[in-house]
Amino acid sequence: MARPIWTGTLSFGLLNIPVKLMTGERRVDLHFRMLDSRNKAPIRYERVNEETGEEVPWKEIVKAFEYDKGSYVVIEEADIAAASPDNKESVDIDTFVDADSIGAEFYEKPYILEPGKKAEKGYVLLREVLKRSGKVGIGRVVIRTREYLAAVMPHGEALLLMILRYAQELVDPSDYKLPEGGLAKWKISPREIEMAEQLIKSMSSQWQPEGYKDDFRQRLHKVIEQRVKSKKVVRGKDSDEAKLPENAATNVIDFAELLKRSLSKKGGDTAATAKKTAKKTAKKTAGKAPAKKRARKSA
């Protein structure tokens, strides 16, 4: 059984829903080792001092930032710890935006939020309200030591947490040489448009992701199997599932009262901060929804 990455809370307004952050993807890449072709011995990667040529032990290695060619400033572990976010093991929603206002280019990696013990009611409440409103929650989440921008959205019976790219991580399409102008400028005739539309219509189908397989990996795996005479499988034992904080569910009791207080104009600092953050986040995340991609029929 999969283990939680962390257990904590999903917060919006004054509501706190205990959740477990679970991985939402499965890596299926094949990993290779480098061997010496002469005797098939594995090749090790060593940490070598560029000046002396000697191997450097881990305890002598420090992190540094190269601010100029050949010039470095050493960053201590304490510096990294001081810069780390304080709101660990929580998803703090700052604002809610229309689901179709976030461009596909912003989505990066999926996670699944699983409700904690006695947190099902709050989980279902948020999930169903998001479905009805067509909204997604935008906030921040800390995974291990890094803080990410994230979107919380309904997906069937689940709440997905999608890691979002920051605007500065995206390349502006205008940086590339793209054809400007419309159909008239490029002398595209009505007949060409009609034929293209007919072609797209004839190739259209329902999106069925299960119909697409990683064929390259499957073919390569068969090659490996043919060259392996025997195979041993070692399965590790999963450790006990991480426990939720003892008082995690105590904050989710009277939903009506908490919602009422969250919506109140006299919400104090919580409401004021949420409103200010919402404006900033909305400007960053607002955009036109991309057209849905068509899917080809699987062979």
Side-chain angles (χ1 to χ4, degrees), residues 10-11 80 89 97 106 113 120 134 141 157 159 177 184 187 196 205 214 229 253 278 281:
L10 167 62
S11 304
I80 298 176
E89 300 180 350
V97 303
F106 284 94
L113 294 172
E120 292 83 359
V141 60
E157 299 299 309
L159 280 175
K177 188 177 180 180
K187 299 180 180 179
S205 65
D214 187 350
K229 295 181 179 180
I253 303 175
T281 309

Side-chain angles (χ1 to χ4, degrees), residues 12-74:
F12 64 102
L14 297 178
L15 275 73
N16 295 279
I17 305 172
V19 293
K20 305 172 189 176
L21 184 68
M22 314 293 290
T23 183
E25 63 178 353
R26 182 178 291 108
R27 295 289 185 178
V28 293
D29 295 337
L30 294 174
H31 299 281
F32 297 96
R33 284 293 305 274
M34 300 298 179
L35 305 180
D36 189 323
S37 63
R38 296 167 295 183
N39 62 358
K40 302 300 184 293
I43 298 175
R44 295 185 304 176
Y45 290 89
E46 298 181 347
R47 303 167 298 280
V48 178
N49 186 306
E50 289 186 358
E51 294 184 3
T52 65
E54 299 178 353
E55 185 175 357
V56 182
W58 277 113
K59 65 179 182 178
E60 301 296 339
I61 295 178
V62 296
K63 296 179 180 179
F65 176 77
E66 187 175 15
Y67 63 91
D68 199 1
K69 186 66 176 179
S71 299
Y72 306 90
V73 57
V74 175

Side-chain angles (χ1 to χ4, degrees), residues 8 18 31 47 60 64 89 100 110 135 158 185 195 239 247 256 262 291:
H31 299 281
R47 303 167 298 280
E60 301 296 339
E89 300 180 350
D100 58 4
K135 302 283 187 179
K185 179 178 179 180
M195 288 190 297
S239 62
N247 63 342
S262 296

